[in-house]
Amino acid sequence: QVQLVESGGGLVQAGGSLRLSCAASGRTFTGMGWFRQAPGKEREFVAAISWSGGITYYADSVKGRFTISRDNAKNTVFLQMNSLKPEDTAVYYCAADRNPLRVGVTRREYSYWGQGTQVTVSS
C-alpha cells in the first residue's frame, strides 16, 4: 500500500510559479505521476517520473514550463510549475504506480492517488 499527500497548491497570478509536493509513505519504490482535473473535464496526465528520476514525461501543454523531480531519501515528489496560465487551473493529484519498472502516462497505469490540491491561476 502507498499513501500520498499533496501540498503546495494555492492562488497565483498568471505568469507566476508554484511548487507542489507529494509526500509518500509505504511502498514508494515506483514510478510517480501528476495529473490534474479542471471543473467539468476529465482528469488528465501532467507529468511522470521513474523511480530513479532518470526518466521523465510531460504533457505537451506543460512541457518547458513544469518540472517533475523526486527526493527518494524524503519519499517526496515535486512539481515545479512556472509561467502559469489560467488554463492550468485545476485540482492536481499525485499518483503512484504499482509497477516499479513503468513510467505511466495514463490514469489506468496508476493504482494509488492522493486527495488532490487546488491550483488557481488568475488572469
Side-chain angles (χ1 to χ4, degrees):
Q1 284 286 349
V2 177
Q3 293 78 43
L4 305 170
V5 178
E6 302 98 332
S7 61
L11 173 64
V12 64
Q13 288 188 330
S17 299
L18 282 174
R19 189 192 197 202
L20 305 183
S21 298
C22 173
S25 60
R27 187 174 178 271
T28 58
F29 45 91
T30 186
M32 301 285 290
W34 286 96
F35 290 74
R36 67 186 181 187
Q37 187 167 16
K41 295 187 177 182
E42 292 193 355
R43 194 171 299 186
E44 64 175 5
F45 170 75
V46 175
I49 188 167
S50 63
W51 155 243
S52 67
I55 299 173
T56 57
Y57 295 128
Y58 296 94
D60 288 343
S61 59
V62 307
K63 204 170 293 183
R65 300 188 298 122
F66 291 10
T67 302
I68 189 171
S69 62
R70 65 191 299 162
D71 183 342
N72 287 339
K74 298 181 179 179
N75 288 338
T76 303
V77 176
F78 305 97
L79 185 67
Q80 178 66 44
M81 305 185 296
N82 299 329
S83 302
L84 282 162
K85 304 175 182 180
E87 51 263 44
D88 294 319
T89 295
V91 177
Y92 282 70
Y93 297 90
C94 176
D97 193 344
R98 190 175 292 173
N99 184 343
L101 302 179
R102 182 170 61 191
V103 186
V105 298
T106 63
R107 290 176 57 183
R108 66 173 65 91
E109 293 173 290
Y110 289 89
S111 299
Y112 307 102
W113 295 84
Q115 83 289 350
T117 185
Q118 176 70 47
V119 171
T120 303
V121 184
S122 63
S123 57

